[in-house]
Amino acid sequence: MSENCGTLMGCGVEDERSFSMDDYSGPLARWCPGCGDHAVLAGVQRLLAKEQLKPERTVFVSGIGCSSRFPHYVDTYGFHGIHGRALPIATGIKLARPDLDVFAVMGDGDCCSIGAGHWIHAIRYNINMTVLLLDNNIYGLTKKQTSPTTPQGFASNTQPRGSFLPALDPIQTTLGVTNASFVAQTADWVPSHLAQTLEAAHAHPGFAFVRILQRCPVFTPTIFEEAAMNTDLTELLEHENGVTDEALKGVYPHTLYHDPTDIQEARRLAESSSKVRLGVFYADPGHARYEELRAVPKRTAEEKIALLNAEIDRYAV
Amino acid sequence: MSSTPPEQAAPTLSQEAGHSVLTLPEHILEVLSDSGEGAQKCGQSFGAVSAKMGNGAWTVEIIPAEIQPPPRTPDGASGVRIRIGTQKITNWGNRTKLAIAFNDQVLLSRHRLNALADDAIILLDQAPENHDNPQVRQEWIEALEELSSRNYRLIKVPLEEECLKIVDNPRQGKNMFALGMLSWVYLRDLERVKEQIAHQFRHKAKAVYERNVRLLEAGVSWAEQNLDFRFDIPTTTPDEDMVVMNGNTALGLGAMAAGLEMCSMYPITPATSVSHFLSESFDRLGGMVHQAEDEIAAIGVALGASFAGKVAFTVTSGPGLALKTEFIGLAVMTETPLVIVDVQRGGPSTGLPTKVEQSDLLAAVFGQPGDCPKVVLAPSTIEECFHCMITARRIAETFRCVVMVMSDANLATGQQPFKRPTLDPRWQSVQPDLSEVPVGTEPLQWDPETGLSPRLIPGQPGGMFTATGLAHNEGSHIRSDPENNQRTMELRSRKLAVLQSTLKPPVVVGPEHADLLVVGWGSTRGAIEEAIEKGQQEGLSVAALNLTFLSPLQPGLGEIFENYKKVMTVEINYSDELDQPYINAENRRRGQLAWLLRATTLVDVDCWTRVFGQPLCPGDILDVIRGKLAAGGQS
């Protein structure tokens, strides 16, 4: 994992600690009762415990919004940033410290609206991190304004006669960006699928983008109601290199065997709106990763000074 | 220019004499061309060679806002002014004594700006005179007519014609031919000039170097056969090792000397060349230049890198600084060390992107919503561009704060020789200590007196916390209660007072008591101090003060100001003047440092500012000083 952890416990020394889900729990989450964020938090804590991630080596980064309170509720390092800017902060952390395990947590306004520029470029950088889009189709913290993913016609405080435009599809968008390497979709109401998707995303070496359909019981209680209740509307994308869940097949009648290395098929599936598709649309570990391309040698202060003196020689009088 | 600066006695040139050599303490020359003809390469090479030979030197680039503006237009003039002297040179001086112009129109731009001395020698390419295009011939006639209003000594030079003997495209040859002419006129060491050319074309084929040397030698030989004057600006051998570079290179080298390891930036003039320089060598030293997708991401990445244990920096200019505002607030609030370099240019908005201004001072000190205390300092010389980065990194880390370094377009491209820095390993940042945190340690364990707290770094067991821009307590836990908010604001602000307690009062140049004190900041220092010196020689009662720290201000300003009957600032930013319509003492908008000094000292600080898009001339400042002193007792 780390190359520069001479002073660390766990490096060279057997780390005998073991961590339970509770070890990753921060203060009581202050999301509304019934908010899908609670389920995501539980799923993430389950992942952390399952992978036994060292809390001090794990960093959660977020922007602003309901979902961006996430880092406060996980007992790891965290950076609760500003609106739309989780990804630049996460990029900086990972470029400076590739040894850290970085998660970025964003909402739909955060990622797909104010932070959309960073989103596009972070996909292309393909830096190794796990990126969660908690998509409730609405601005929650500012109280019910239309977001880019709000369904057309859905009334909000800013578009009371219904959202004017067709909703932006984050899966399609991500799949359209050069160098995208992992794109998956899951939902807060299917905990086992959520858990497996998070595991696949975390295991992926690169920018692993997971859109999580997330219910907001206060502002968008109806939007996901049908999808959550009527299993006939969902199609599971199944593959041994993606997510397979035998138990879920008993609940969801539609399963599609989809090879996640097939980006053309992934894009076709993302564009076809006949079903809510849960699973890994695309995963290919072979993509270029910016932090690997930019790896620099570690230099001591003395080495730096020798090199710098040679540099200054060029300007000597 | 608002006034005609006084000039030194012009050299007397004997027309008959073959190669008379006039020895002078200093000289100002310019090379002017259309964009893409390499006047800056020629001039900067000349400046570097002069510095390396032991002259004092200061160069200023004249850069149009476009890459290839229409040729033969006054607005498209591209070039460089070089002032060389036997002694140290600290500014671009007053007016040019010798100009080489590649066409009549670019020369007009400098003529119209009153940048050329009345008796300047002008070497002008004569190609337009007999150009195929009648419009060009007509423009030439009109230009010469306009120029004849002055006593310039105009010498027509077959620049293009001579270059065509060596290269097919004279646009790629005139600058080296001109360098050859200048090298002959100023008795430059040709071996050094060739070394400079070799360095400049080090990434090109050898044939390119050889062709340029042929052009250089042709220029030397043409000058020798056709010019009747030479200037000797005696060089002195410095008693210590010297280096010569421009301010942006010095900032980059300083960043490396300071142990900064991440430069996250987005291209913006005139800051970008810091990253050009760093991109060549930073990674070998274990550093990284990250070109982000926008200005906001640039500072966001820097902030993330700093949070993860580095001290990172970003370089920008006014419009970029505006975009970074929210992230600056986050860095202040989370007490994450960060260095922000602002290479100021003309504003507002896109303004004069390639020209100098000092208009970002108040934006730097106060420009973020909410109370956002941060450190602001300004280098005033190329040498300080180097050393200020070491200071900035150390303050950022010690005080867990944002440090803004305010350079400008004048320092960015200006070259000046200075004492070679002796690098010190203690300047380097230490690698993050990832040892376990004692139980009970808080991420913001503020000292109640100073507001200082040690930084926890991800990777330290037991130190886990979430940095947040929301109001928070010692544990970085979100808190909205009134007492906590009041107290944490106090503690963040206190750090500036603590820093100020470690600073020395600034040093006045000139008498301790006088009728007038001229206060400046940043790159105007050299011009102000030269004006003061000349004023003192005239018997004027005047002193100068340059402020390195703008936030917090250095201590003792009030006491210093008491020793002068009048205090005024001289700055390159906008201020109203009292003789303008509607403007009175109450509604007058003042120079930015003047605002700051009036507010902090309650002294009636006056100001004189100009936004000409060019450095201030010492002669103009001296005129202002004379006027201010002549105005009598009231300010």
Side-chain angles (χ1 to χ4, degrees):
Chain A
M1 186 169 73
S2 163
E3 310 138 48
N4 67 339
C5 52
T7 58
L8 283 182
M9 56 190 304
C11 290
V13 181
E14 195 63 35
D15 191 345
E16 290 176 351
R17 297 176 295 168
S18 78
F19 305 101
S20 68
M21 272 180 75
D22 278 351
D23 291 319
Y24 300 102
S25 297
L28 188 67
R30 292 162 62 89
W31 292 307
C32 306
C35 174
D37 290 351
H38 293 289
V40 180
L41 178 63
V44 166
Q45 285 165 345
R46 193 165 131 185
L47 170 75
L48 298 176
K50 175 152 193 220
E51 302 295 335
Q52 288 290 295
L53 300 186
K54 296 187 178 75
E56 70 274 9
R57 290 263 155 189
T58 307
V59 185
F60 279 81
V61 184
S62 66
I64 290 293
C66 289
S67 57
S68 287
R69 295 292 179 103
F70 205 99
H72 289 283
Y73 307 142
V74 189
D75 194 10
T76 64
Y77 282 91
F79 205 128
H80 178 198
I82 49 179
H83 198 30
R85 320 295 173 204
L87 291 172
I89 298 172
T91 299
I93 293 171
K94 197 67 185 173
L95 287 178
R97 294 281 304 281
D99 59 297
L100 297 172
D101 206 332
V102 174
F103 292 75
V105 183
M106 298 174 288
D108 40 309
D110 215 27
C111 174
C112 309
S113 196
I114 191 170
H118 308 310
W119 175 31
I120 304 292
H121 290 278
I123 296 165
R124 178 170 165 251
Y125 296 145
N126 191 33
I127 290 173
N128 189 14
M129 60 176 83
T130 308
V131 180
L132 310 181
L133 167 59
L134 276 58
D135 189 353
N136 59 2
N137 292 189
I138 200 79
Y139 284 81
L141 203 58
T142 49
K143 299 192 171 71
K144 202 179 185 184
Q145 294 84 22
T146 304
S147 98
T149 62
T150 302
Q152 192 169 22
F154 184 87
S156 76
N157 286 326
T158 45
Q159 299 187 2
R161 286 169 293 285
S163 170
F164 301 113
L165 293 168
L168 179 142
D169 182 337
I171 298 288
Q172 280 185 46
T173 306
T174 307
L175 284 169
V177 177
T178 306
N179 213 33
S181 74
F182 184 100
V183 184
Q185 180 158 271
T186 184
D188 76 56
W189 57 86
V190 200
S192 66
H193 191 271
L194 174 71
Q196 290 194 58
T197 309
L198 292 177
E199 276 173 43
H202 181 257
H204 174 76
F207 187 88
F209 180 82
V210 184
R211 182 196 189 199
I212 304 172
L213 306 175
Q214 178 242 313
R215 292 169 295 182
C216 173
V218 178
F219 298 122
T220 58
T222 56
I223 288 182
F224 296 115
E225 195 175 27
E226 219 185 343
M229 300 309 289
N230 183 356
T231 56
D232 196 42
L233 298 176
T234 298
E235 183 170 72
L236 300 175
L237 301 180
E238 187 190 64
H239 196 271
E240 53 278 14
N241 295 330
V243 173
T244 55
D245 190 333
E246 289 306 319
L248 272 185
K249 284 192 197 173
V251 182
Y252 290 94
H254 307 290
T255 300
L256 181 71
Y257 187 74
H258 166 62
D259 175 3
T261 60
D262 184 348
I263 192 149
Q264 296 306 332
E265 179 64 5
R267 287 177 180 152
R268 194 192 65 74
L269 289 170
E271 280 171 25
S272 140
S273 56
S274 56
K275 289 271 188 288
V276 175
R277 297 202 166 82
L278 303 182
V280 179
F281 283 78
Y282 181 65
D284 186 343
H287 287 269
R289 279 160 52 191
Y290 185 69
E291 81 277 28
E292 287 192 339
L293 299 171
R294 298 304 311 271
V296 289
K298 295 217 175 296
R299 301 286 190 200
T300 63
E302 287 69 24
E303 286 172 331
K304 284 185 188 176
I305 282 172
L307 288 162
L308 197 49
N309 265 320
E311 195 67 38
I312 293 176
D313 285 342
R314 288 170 49 189
Y315 302 92
V317 163
Chain B
M1 252 159 260
S2 65
S3 59
T4 306
E7 295 299 334
Q8 295 173 346
T12 320
L13 288 168
S14 160
Q15 302 289 330
E16 304 80 29
H19 298 153
S20 67
V21 176
L22 195 62
T23 300
L24 295 167
E26 64 151 276
H27 217 235
I28 302 175
L29 63 147
E30 291 188 14
V31 187
L32 304 163
S33 73
D34 286 338
S35 268
E37 291 187 319
Q40 283 146 10
K41 274 208 178 91
C42 165
Q44 294 289 21
S45 297
F46 181 84
V49 166
S50 297
K52 288 179 178 178
M53 287 175 65
N55 275 138
W58 184 276
T59 69
V60 175
E61 292 191 356
I62 300 152
I63 314 170
E66 304 82 14
I67 301 299
Q68 291 191 5
R72 295 185 44 76
T73 53
D75 282 351
S78 174
V80 61
R81 172 186 280 196
I82 311 112
R83 185 184 183 196
I84 55 173
T86 299
Q87 304 298 322
K88 185 177 176 185
I89 299 290
T90 63
N91 65 84
W92 80 335
N94 294 319
R95 293 198 291 165
T96 285
K97 301 285 194 180
L98 183 145
I100 296 189
F102 295 9
N103 68 59
D104 45 294
Q105 297 300 308
V106 295
L107 178 62
L108 275 185
S109 84
R110 302 299 291 159
H111 165 76
R112 288 172 185 168
L113 285 167
N114 200 15
L116 309 173
D118 291 343
D119 58 353
I121 299 170
I122 291 165
L123 300 164
L124 176 62
D125 189 355
Q126 66 194 26
E129 186 172 20
N130 296 307
H131 200 273
D132 294 341
N133 184 340
Q135 192 192 329
V136 172
R137 294 199 301 271
Q138 183 59 31
E139 284 169 1
W140 166 275
I141 290 165
E142 287 167 14
L144 261 58
E145 171 67 25
E146 187 176 340
L147 291 163
S148 70
S149 63
R150 294 281 170 79
N151 283 328
Y152 301 139
R153 182 180 175 209
L154 193 86
I155 300 169
K156 295 179 196 170
V157 180
L159 195 53
E160 185 167 316
E161 195 183 315
E162 291 294 322
C163 289
L164 278 170
K165 294 176 183 168
I166 299 167
V167 288
D168 296 335
N169 179 1
R171 278 175 59 82
Q172 290 175 358
K174 289 200 251 183
N175 64 338
M176 285 298 138
F177 191 90
L179 182 58
M181 290 162 67
L182 291 176
S183 298
W184 183 81
V185 169
Y186 289 95
L187 291 84
R188 300 295 84 168
D189 175 349
L190 277 186
E191 286 316 302
R192 282 190 190 269
V193 180
K194 287 175 192 169
E195 277 171 30
Q196 190 69 26
I197 295 174
H199 174 71
Q200 197 172 315
F201 294 102
R202 64 194 180 282
H203 301 309
K204 300 271 173 67
K206 190 151 191 283
V208 176
Y209 163 75
E210 286 165 355
R211 190 174 63 233
N212 279 286
V213 167
R214 279 206 302 284
L215 286 159
L216 175 86
E217 286 169 345
V220 170
S221 124
W222 187 90
E224 190 169 9
Q225 288 159 31
N226 294 283
L227 298 180
D228 58 4
F229 56 87
R230 298 184 85 181
F231 300 122
D232 182 20
I233 317 300
T235 57
T236 52
T237 310
D239 43 14
E240 45 201 358
D241 288 345
M242 303 286 279
V243 287
V244 60
M245 64 188 72
N246 69 34
N248 275 2
T249 301
L251 282 168
L253 281 170
M256 293 196 274
L260 291 161
E261 288 177 308
M262 161 73 83
C263 171
S264 175
M265 50 67 68
Y266 184 78
I268 186 166
T269 302
T272 317
S273 65
V274 177
S275 62
H276 293 182
F277 164 72
L278 283 172
S279 294
E280 278 195 30
S281 37
F282 206 10
D283 54 353
R284 280 189 293 119
L285 275 81
M288 183 190 299
V289 176
H290 171 65
Q291 181 181 330
E293 61 269 22
D294 59 36
E295 289 279 0
I296 297 173
I299 185 173
V301 168
L303 185 64
S306 277
F307 171 75
K310 309 281 182 192
V311 180
F313 75 111
T314 183
V315 290
T316 190
S317 190
L321 181 64
L323 286 166
K324 294 181 192 303
T325 300
E326 189 184 9
F327 255 126
I328 295 173
L330 182 64
V332 169
M333 192 61 155
T334 56
E335 306 194 40
T336 309
L338 192 61
V339 176
I340 301 167
V341 177
D342 176 9
V343 185
Q344 297 166 96
R345 64 190 224 182
S349 187
T350 313
L352 296 172
T354 61
K355 315 283 190 192
V356 64
E357 220 167 272
Q358 299 179 304
S359 294
D360 296 349
L361 175 59
L362 295 181
V365 179
F366 299 117
Q368 301 78 35
D371 186 58
C372 225
K374 78 195 81 60
V375 176
V376 179
L377 54 89
S380 64
T381 62
I382 308 300
E383 182 174 18
E384 284 184 7
C385 286
F386 177 89
H387 289 284
C388 73
M389 293 302 283
I390 296 147
T391 309
R393 201 274 303 157
R394 200 161 45 199
I395 292 173
E397 198 147 25
T398 309
F399 290 81
R400 291 183 73 169
C401 69
V402 173
V403 180
M404 305 219 20
V405 173
M406 309 300 286
S407 180
D408 66 35
N410 187 16
L411 293 171
T413 59
Q415 296 203 73
Q416 186 191 31
F418 62 91
K419 179 174 178 279
R420 181 184 175 125
T422 307
L423 303 177
D424 187 332
R426 288 169 302 179
W427 291 349
Q428 296 278 326
S429 54
V430 287
Q431 286 305 309
D433 170 15
L434 298 183
S435 56
E436 186 162 6
V437 174
V439 176
T441 307
E442 298 285 10
L444 292 155
Q445 197 151 307
W446 294 297
D447 180 294
E449 283 284 306
T450 64
L452 300 184
S453 57
R455 168 154 89 119
L456 298 183
I457 306 291
Q460 287 190 270
M464 287 83 73
F465 75 102
T466 292
T468 179
L470 280 163
H472 51 266
N473 65 6
E474 282 87 347
S476 199
H477 300 303
I478 300 167
R479 291 290 180 271
S480 57
D481 60 284
E483 290 78 15
N484 183 74
N485 204 44
Q486 181 71 27
R487 188 173 65 94
T488 53
M489 294 264 192
E490 281 169 16
L491 289 168
R492 286 191 297 272
S493 181
R494 184 86 46 81
K495 293 193 287 186
L496 291 194
V498 174
L499 172 61
Q500 199 209 32
S501 75
T502 69
L503 301 177
K504 295 186 182 116
V507 177
V508 170
V509 174
E512 275 182 39
H513 298 262
D515 290 345
L516 176 64
L517 178 69
V518 179
V519 190
W521 64 287
S523 70
T524 53
R525 178 181 194 163
I528 291 174
E529 290 181 359
E530 186 171 320
I532 297 301
E533 199 180 315
K534 294 248 167 67
Q536 284 164 1
Q537 286 163 9
E538 287 180 16
L540 300 178
S541 176
V542 59
L545 186 64
N546 179 268
L547 299 181
T548 304
F549 280 83
L550 288 318
S551 170
L553 285 163
Q554 281 148 283
L557 290 182
E559 284 168 39
I560 292 171
F561 290 1
E562 280 175 15
N563 297 330
Y564 300 88
K565 287 184 191 156
K566 297 178 191 173
V567 180
M568 71 183 300
T569 67
V570 167
E571 308 175 60
I572 310 178
N573 51 42
Y574 180 75
S575 62
D576 295 325
E577 301 214 358
L578 287 171
D579 58 2
Q580 294 164 340
Y582 293 96
I583 304 301
N584 57 46
E586 196 174 277
N587 67 14
R588 180 186 183 196
R589 296 176 64 251
R590 297 164 204 275
Q592 299 199 359
L593 180 61
W595 280 122
L596 208 52
L597 294 179
R598 291 170 69 89
T600 45
T601 65
L602 297 182
V603 171
D604 186 10
V605 177
D606 193 8
C607 61
W608 180 82
T609 73
R610 282 296 177 272
V611 281
F612 286 153
Q614 49 187 357
L616 299 178
C617 297
D620 289 345
I621 299 173
L622 182 55
D623 280 349
V624 170
I625 292 168
R626 290 192 193 109
K628 184 75 184 166
L629 288 171
Q634 69 272 39
S635 33

